Amino acid sequence: MLPELPVDRVINQILDGLRSECNLVLEAPPGAGKTTRVPPALLQIDGQHVLVLEPRRIAARMAARRVAQELGEHLGDTVGYQVRFEDVGGPKTRLRFLTEGVLTRRLIANPQLRGVGTVILDEFHERHLDADVALALLRRLQKTSRPDLRLVVMSATLEAAPISEYLATSK
């Protein structure tokens, strides 16, 4: 049995919100469970893959390990990660933690992100050029050929209003 984290109390609201709207900004304090509880919950929405962008390679590796552990699985089963020169996953992997550079390469290889239902930009308060470019590319994809693509921006300290306004569904 996993200890309850604050975000567990709103997981159903998050899922309901993303079933009706394609974008969500989630601001919660450190330790609330954003990174470990929200991504696996989103696997329930549509059966597609969920990508979680982390600002650093170590964060991607550690988050994937923790989520796999919480699911009682081996890393590389449902949950994996991909960073430069390292890809841990397999044919059953549906939740993948990765860095922005890896996402950029995925967008070049698969410009429509076929098979991906949700992209989460985690720790977005650690603003840097790669994260901003990733958000802009994903939003453009969403506004053009993938209106079904869900975007979730998560942060502990981010001013949510400007990002929410940017992600507003009206074009």
Side-chain angles (χ1 to χ4, degrees), residues 119-133:
V119 179
I120 301 170
L121 291 94
D122 194 17
E123 303 294 346
F124 199 73
H125 61 274
E126 293 188 22
R127 298 288 302 276
H128 54 283
L129 183 59
D130 291 334
D132 288 347
V133 169

Side-chain angles (χ1 to χ4, degrees), residues 2-18:
L2 296 173
E4 184 179 15
L5 296 175
V7 79
D8 291 334
R9 292 181 225 126
V10 296
I11 287 289
N12 288 331
Q13 290 172 279
I14 291 169
L15 293 173
D16 291 344
L18 284 171

Side-chain angles (χ1 to χ4, degrees), residues 95-165:
L95 173 57
R96 191 174 302 263
F97 290 81
L98 44 90
T99 55
E100 290 96 350
V102 172
L103 174 70
T104 302
R105 288 191 298 279
R106 278 181 172 246
L107 281 166
I108 291 168
N110 179 4
Q112 300 301 309
L113 285 181
R114 284 181 197 77
V116 175
T118 306
V119 179
I120 301 170
L121 291 94
D122 194 17
E123 303 294 346
F124 199 73
H125 61 274
E126 293 188 22
R127 298 288 302 276
H128 54 283
L129 183 59
D130 291 334
D132 288 347
V133 169
L135 180 61
L137 291 172
L138 291 165
R139 183 65 175 134
R140 184 176 73 184
L141 178 60
Q142 188 184 54
K143 289 175 97 175
T144 56
S145 57
R146 283 292 310 277
D148 62 314
L149 181 65
R150 287 177 200 81
L151 300 179
V152 177
V153 176
M154 299 192 308
S155 175
T157 59
L158 180 70
E159 176 71 34
I163 297 297
S164 295
E165 184 178 321

Side-chain angles (χ1 to χ4, degrees), residues 16-45:
D16 291 344
L18 284 171
R19 285 185 180 108
S20 61
E21 296 286 332
C22 283
N23 298 321
L24 174 76
V25 177
L26 178 59
E27 183 182 356
K34 296 178 302 294
T35 301
T36 58
R37 302 291 170 85
V38 173
L42 298 184
L43 290 172
Q44 303 172 37
I45 291 182

